[in-house]
Amino acid sequence: MTETLSASCVVVGGGPAGMMTAYLLARAGVDVVVLERHADFFRDFRGDTIHPSTMQVMLELGLLEEFLRVPHQVVTHAELEMAGERLRVADFTHVPTRCKFIAFMPQWDFLNFLAEKGRAFSSFHLLMEAEARALVRENGRVVGVRARRPSGETEIRAPLVIGADGRQSAMRDDAGVRARDIGAPMDVLWFRLSHREREHHAVLGRIEAGQALVMLDRQEYWQTALIIPKGTLDAVKALGLEAFRARIARLARRDDADDIRSWDDVKLLSVKVDRLERWHQPGLLFIGDAAHAMSPIGGVGINLAIQDGVAAANILADPLSRGGVTERDLARVRRRRWLPTCATQAIQVAIQNNVISPVLHGSQALRVPGVLRLAQRWPVLQRLPARLIGVGIRPEHVRTPARSPAPS
Ligand SMILES: Cc1cc2nc3c(=O)[nH]c(=O)nc-3n(C[C@H](O)[C@H](O)[C@H](O)COP(=O)(O)OP(=O)(O)OC[C@H]3O[C@@H](n4cnc5c(N)ncnc54)[C@H](O)[C@@H]3O)c2cc1C
């Protein structure tokens, strides 16, 4: 038998976009159900960056002080080693927000924090191990979602379904919408390297002809990314694990990379850059990666997802608490977030085409681009990339009221 629940809004996906939207809507008194297919937030690595703009949102919510008690690392600068030269590319110490740094925090700690704060509101309902399987439609309008839970089938009916189910969005498939593929020349292999003594750099990119390595300092280990030409994982594997380890050891300037015990320790991020032209249908809205998968350049996917959540809640909390949203309301969310999405993707694609592609496909010696040289001579120029990464274009601010009792 199918259990039936009802709410004012169903959010499919408990990632950064879904959890932020649900938290803000619940705080504004909107009855919201979040469906997350996993039993918890502990998953493979998928980015640990908390941006200054997210911490600004936390400040506006009165949660910053407590949030910063969650263990994290403070990153104030990003550096690159190119053609043997050490270059500083971004200086976060001047971004126009309270926190002038990027916090490195496991994504599950961030999501658990939001979940715990959300649960303090009676209007916040987080259903874990609840996999949305299909949209429910009536008279050409989405009126809910059917989900599979350990207890059986559940139908959750609501005037609005928000698809925040990530880049492989099943809700998007069910709605029959297709994202426009903008393309990416690379894939990323993620793995961990143990920390060695006397190594201390918070973020380090290392670019050589034909390859690029990014190392994120997680204190006990380096979260490391090898950027490879798109679709070449099989070719990398064909050379054998020993050759891969030797390649990584050389690039990471260490004696060995024996921390990589098998290919199971190496995770592929198949890089995608895409976006929906239309983010909504009657009763349905897509946000976050489900609306626009970002390139990993700059590590801004989480930031954009959260900003979408803030914008969606700002625009929709009022109509939802009055009992219904119109297509015009949904179109306003897309309009609000269109410029930051397209402009950020355009910058990423320009870097992909002008820096990453030539590096990956070139075998000649690399030369440091003029703009990076200028940024070494005039460090003030390092503030621009920091602002784009840390704050982004058209940052969102919390406008939703706190109608539900404040979390204790
Ligand atoms: C390996 C890797 C490294 C990354 N590194 C960074 C980084 O350093 N910085 C950065 O900013 N971004 C990074 N990203 C991108 C970042 O993870 C995403 O941009 C961001 O998480 C998007 O948030 P979201 O909430 O839109 O989607 P997601 O985080 O993908 O969340 C979607 C959620 O929906 C759930 N879900 C999916 N389908 C269903 C369903 N049918 N029913 C119920 N639940 C469902 C999923 O379990 C998931 O929890 C990385 C991504 C990967 C894969």
Side-chain angles (χ1 to χ4, degrees):
M1 218 181 69
T2 304
E3 179 192 19
T4 306
L5 304 174
S6 63
S8 299
C9 177
V10 185
V11 176
V12 179
M19 291 301 287
M20 182 53 83
T21 315
Y23 174 83
L24 289 168
L25 289 177
R27 176 176 170 272
V30 176
D31 209 33
V32 56
V33 171
V34 188
L35 304 175
E36 170 51 50
R37 69 176 165 193
H38 291 293
D40 53 42
F41 295 117
F42 295 92
R43 302 168 256 177
D44 281 345
F45 170 76
R46 45 218 296 251
D48 288 350
T49 46
I50 303 293
H51 295 247
S53 55
T54 300
M55 289 182 270
Q56 196 68 12
V57 167
M58 292 298 193
L59 176 73
E60 290 165 5
L61 291 169
L63 298 173
L64 182 65
E65 207 178 309
E66 197 179 339
F67 181 64
L68 289 177
R69 274 187 233 129
V70 179
H72 64 276
Q73 281 156 265
V74 169
V75 172
T76 52
H77 298 88
E79 292 182 353
L80 196 66
E81 208 177 280
M82 192 169 191
E85 263 186 76
R86 191 69 166 258
L87 307 156
R88 186 166 273 190
V89 280
D91 171 3
F92 296 100
T93 58
H94 292 83
V95 290
T97 48
R98 168 74 68 87
C99 296
K100 297 178 188 307
F101 56 85
I102 291 199
F104 273 58
M105 179 189 289
Q107 200 181 104
W108 52 80
D109 282 346
F110 171 66
L111 296 174
N112 274 328
F113 182 88
L114 279 180
E116 185 202 315
K117 293 293 151 199
R119 283 192 188 103
F121 302 129
S122 56
S123 43
F124 181 90
H125 313 280
L126 172 59
L127 306 184
M128 302 301 287
E129 282 186 275
E131 181 173 12
R133 309 274 289 170
L135 296 163
V136 181
R137 292 176 181 277
E138 272 170 18
N139 305 320
R141 188 185 167 86
V142 173
V143 294
V145 164
R146 249 189 299 283
R148 191 169 56 188
R149 299 172 66 198
S151 55
E153 279 273 310
T154 304
E155 184 171 306
I156 306 104
R157 298 181 72 89
L160 178 65
V161 173
I162 297 184
D165 50 342
R167 59 185 61 202
Q168 313 285 356
S169 172
M171 296 300 99
R172 210 163 70 177
D173 295 343
D174 195 30
V177 286
R178 282 186 135 245
R180 181 163 83 84
D181 188 10
I182 296 163
M186 77 278 202
D187 286 330
V188 179
L189 302 182
W190 283 104
F191 47 89
R192 289 183 182 189
L193 295 177
S194 60
H195 227 289
R196 304 274 160 94
E197 274 177 55
R198 285 184 284 116
E199 290 179 325
H200 261 291
H201 319 290
V203 183
L204 183 62
R206 207 163 258 152
I207 298 184
E208 290 185 2
Q211 50 196 352
L213 192 80
V214 179
M215 299 174 77
L216 311 177
D217 182 357
R218 302 311 323 279
Q219 245 148 31
E220 290 113 53
Y221 59 90
W222 290 95
Q223 186 72 51
T224 309
L226 178 70
I227 299 162
I228 57 172
K230 183 129 212 86
T232 60
L233 175 60
D234 287 344
V236 171
K237 280 187 170 175
L239 295 174
L241 191 60
E242 220 24 76
F244 183 71
R245 286 197 196 115
R247 176 180 178 183
I248 298 305
R250 200 183 56 73
L251 262 174
R253 314 265 190 273
R254 48 175 55 213
D255 298 335
D256 63 69
D258 293 347
D259 315 288
I260 307 167
R261 282 156 306 170
S262 75
W263 288 113
D264 290 344
D265 292 335
V266 180
K267 306 281 177 231
L268 170 72
L269 166 62
S270 178
V271 175
K272 243 185 176 185
V273 185
D274 67 20
R275 65 176 175 256
L276 297 180
E277 290 300 318
R278 201 176 154 84
W279 294 18
H280 61 90
Q281 292 181 357
L284 177 67
L285 172 71
F286 292 102
I287 58 170
D289 272 16
H292 49 74
M294 308 300 292
S295 163
I297 291 168
V300 293
I302 300 170
N303 194 25
L304 264 95
I306 290 169
Q307 296 279 307
D308 281 3
V310 177
N314 283 345
I315 292 168
L316 302 175
D318 237 29
L320 281 171
S321 45
R322 278 189 271 105
V325 281
T326 62
E327 274 219 78
R328 275 179 71 173
D329 297 322
L330 302 181
R332 279 182 61 206
V333 178
R334 187 265 201 190
R335 251 198 329 272
R336 172 86 201 164
R337 298 301 301 154
W338 188 247
L339 172 73
T341 303
C342 296
T344 310
Q345 287 182 330
I347 295 168
Q348 291 183 319
V349 167
I351 296 174
Q352 282 183 176
N353 294 343
N354 297 306
V355 182
I356 306 288
S357 251
V359 163
L360 293 180
H361 297 108
S363 49
Q364 292 167 358
L366 280 182
R367 290 185 46 199
V368 175
V371 63
L372 273 183
R373 286 232 174 281
L374 283 180
Q376 307 313 298
R377 190 170 309 159
W378 290 296
V380 71
L381 295 176
Q382 298 163 10
R383 296 180 194 176
L384 180 65
R387 188 170 174 146
L388 282 171
I389 295 168
V391 180
I393 295 159
R394 193 186 269 170
E396 303 292 341
H397 297 281
V398 177
R399 312 258 183 244
T400 42
R403 291 207 189 98
S404 285
S408 50

